[in-house]
């Protein structure tokens, strides 16, 4: 029997059209005020691929990937909750900017609790998460390696521009498969984790 091919997997929160339009507005503002840097220095995430990553699993062997899909069928024991994404901000918060984001400004504790609950569902053998604190955010763009100095020069201006916060109801988690290509990544939904009640 031919072994199943490994899969590059991640768990994410989907966004709605309202938050998608907020992301587009932030991009337009960046392009209008800092056009050369926005065009040359940043790799923008396609609007239809925007999401909030909950847990990146990485390259998972095929048989283990099937177990992850099966684990999703049980759902996760939390109730729907609301988050809000605030004004554009850079990650990391100190040092050279690498990612432009819309960070989660409220609902942080619920999002972090959800991550803990989802982590508990993952089968033995899934690569462990890194030790960095979970900072939920919507990635708008990534800084090109050769443009860090240019981006650093405008970083404070971008954060000072602000903008309205946008609320989003979270009521499920999606398991995605990511396929990389020269044209960029393509995401395919493999399973959904339904919310089944209150946090244990």
């Amino acid at each position: 029997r031919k072994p199943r091919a490994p899969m590059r997997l991640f768990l994410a929160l989907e966004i709605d059209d309202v938050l998608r339009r907020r992301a587009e507005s932030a991009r337009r503002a960046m392009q209008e005020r800092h056009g050369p840097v926005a065009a040359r220095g940043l790799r923008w995430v396609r609007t239809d691929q925007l999401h909030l990553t909950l847990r990146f699993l990485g390259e998972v062997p095929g048989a283990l990937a099937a177990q992850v899909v099966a684990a999703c069928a049980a759902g996760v024991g939390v109730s729907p909750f609301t988050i809000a994404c605030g004004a554009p901000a850079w990650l990391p918060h100190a040092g050279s900017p690498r990612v432009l984001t819309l960070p989660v400004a409220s609902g942080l504790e619920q999002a972090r609790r959800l991550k803990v609950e989802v982590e508990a569902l993952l089968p033995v053998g899934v690569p462990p998460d890194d030790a960095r604190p979970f900072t939920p955010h919507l990635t708008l763009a990534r800084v090109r390696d050769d443009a860090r100095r240019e981006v650093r020069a405008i970083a404070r201006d971008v954060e000072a521009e602000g903008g309205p916060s946008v609320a989003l109801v979270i009521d499920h988690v999606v398991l995605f498969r990511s396929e990389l290509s020269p044209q960029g990544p393509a995401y395919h939904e493999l399973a959904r984790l339904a919310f089944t009640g209150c946090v244990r």
Side-chain angles (χ1 to χ4, degrees), residues 50-64:
L50 290 170
H51 60 269
L52 287 94
T53 300
L54 190 68
R55 171 73 151 84
F56 180 67
L57 305 183
E59 201 78 13
V60 178
L64 183 58

Side-chain angles (χ1 to χ4, degrees), residues 17 47 78 80 112 130 144 148 182 200:
D17 288 340
T47 304
V78 303
R112 288 169 177 156
D130 60 42
R144 297 185 187 279
R148 290 181 188 171
R200 292 189 298 273

Side-chain angles (χ1 to χ4, degrees), residues 124-187:
V124 174
V126 170
D129 202 6
D130 60 42
R132 291 175 296 181
F134 176 50
T135 308
H137 60 272
L138 188 67
T139 296
L140 301 179
R142 295 176 176 84
V143 179
R144 297 185 187 279
D145 290 340
D146 61 351
R148 290 181 188 171
R149 183 176 298 179
E150 297 169 64
V151 171
R152 191 162 56 242
I154 65 162
R156 290 186 179 178
D157 290 343
V158 171
E159 292 191 343
E161 286 159 7
S165 62
V166 175
L168 175 69
V169 175
I170 304 299
D171 57 11
H172 66 278
V173 177
V174 179
L175 175 68
F176 285 104
R177 177 181 182 178
S178 173
E179 293 184 350
L180 304 180
S181 75
Q183 291 73 41
Y187 303 144

Side-chain angles (χ1 to χ4, degrees), residues 44-109:
W44 293 91
V45 178
R46 278 175 29 196
T47 304
D48 63 329
Q49 292 187 335
L50 290 170
H51 60 269
L52 287 94
T53 300
L54 190 68
R55 171 73 151 84
F56 180 67
L57 305 183
E59 201 78 13
V60 178
L64 183 58
Q67 293 179 41
V68 175
V69 171
C72 291
V76 60
V78 303
S79 296
F81 60 93
T82 300
I83 63 172
C85 287
W90 299 95
L91 287 177
H93 299 300
S96 183
R98 302 183 72 89
V99 182
L100 179 63
T101 75
L102 288 182
V104 172
S106 67
L108 278 171
E109 287 309 311

